[in-house]
Amino acid sequence: KPIIASTAGASIEDIDQVVSFFTHRNKEFGIMHCVGQYPTPDENLHVSQIDFLKKRYPKVRIGFSTHEDPSNTNIIPIAMAMGATIFEKHVAIPTEKYDINAYSSTPEQFEAWLNSALYAQKICGIGNERLPINKEEKNSLRALQRGVFAKHKIKQGDIIKSEDVYF
């Protein structure tokens, strides 16, 4: 089964060793940027660590284990835009005996979080290849053309043809 390892509280040397251990054993694994502070204040989320981990371990899937205020749906789009592809979130249902802790989401909060993730996926789009030309974009840009530029020197008196210019 695939392995998911958290980086919470780990030094870069620890993470290097874990990545090396799993890589040399041909294990399918990913590592999660995680802050082991429950709940994690926004200023300690350091979501940019996802980009750091992606650059340091380009062949390893990087994820985000999240413990921020459960009503905050702004973090998941940022994590996705940074390149996280695996996610972990605490969900809880209160009972008569147990209440929900400060970092676990209710099912309704989780649904809002998930909708935010789906929206982020939609707007982030495809990032690992250049997209084909979008006809609407091309038409829009063509409608906005404002300048005509010479492709080469044109002498006084020369008749300018379409092949002599570009827009």
Side-chain angles (χ1 to χ4, degrees):
K1 298 206 182 253
I3 300 162
I4 297 175
S6 171
T7 61
S11 69
I12 195 63
E13 294 80 15
D14 292 338
I15 300 168
D16 284 346
Q17 287 180 354
V18 168
V19 169
S20 177
F21 180 86
F22 289 141
T23 300
H24 286 95
R25 285 159 181 79
N26 295 315
K27 298 294 182 183
E28 184 183 344
F29 72 100
I31 56 176
M32 306 289 273
H33 165 57
C34 176
V35 178
Q37 184 178 3
Y38 304 90
T40 308
D42 289 352
E43 64 273 12
N44 291 349
L45 286 168
H46 301 290
V47 181
S48 61
Q49 285 292 294
I50 295 166
D51 188 50
F52 169 78
L53 294 169
K54 282 182 58 82
K55 288 177 181 169
R56 188 168 182 97
Y57 313 109
K59 296 183 179 182
V60 177
R61 282 186 70 187
I62 306 300
F64 180 54
S65 178
T66 174
H67 305 108
E68 75 276 1
D69 176 340
S71 64
N72 186 340
T73 60
N74 296 326
I75 308 304
I76 187 69
I78 298 168
M80 293 179 78
M82 296 300 286
T85 59
I86 308 168
F87 300 91
E88 180 265 347
K89 182 100 173 133
H90 295 259
V91 180
I93 297 174
T95 66
E96 287 183 23
K97 188 174 179 181
Y98 298 104
D99 200 8
I100 295 178
N101 59 41
Y103 57 89
S104 293
S105 298
T106 64
E108 295 78 21
Q109 288 170 320
F110 180 75
E111 184 175 6
W113 181 84
L114 188 56
N115 286 335
S116 186
L118 292 170
Y119 178 72
Q121 182 180 36
K122 175 182 168 182
I123 64 172
C124 284
I126 298 167
N128 58 352
E129 63 186 52
R130 187 65 183 152
L131 297 173
I133 295 187
N134 174 323
K135 289 178 185 176
E136 289 82 16
E137 178 185 23
K138 191 172 185 174
N139 292 338
S140 177
L141 291 171
R142 195 167 270 147
L144 294 171
Q145 290 177 338
R146 300 289 188 259
V148 179
F149 303 90
K151 290 182 179 177
H152 52 81
K153 279 200 165 216
I154 299 174
K155 296 180 199 155
Q156 185 176 355
D158 284 353
I159 296 176
I160 301 172
K161 301 178 190 115
S162 61
E163 58 266 12
D164 296 325
V165 298
Y166 65 95
F167 297 91

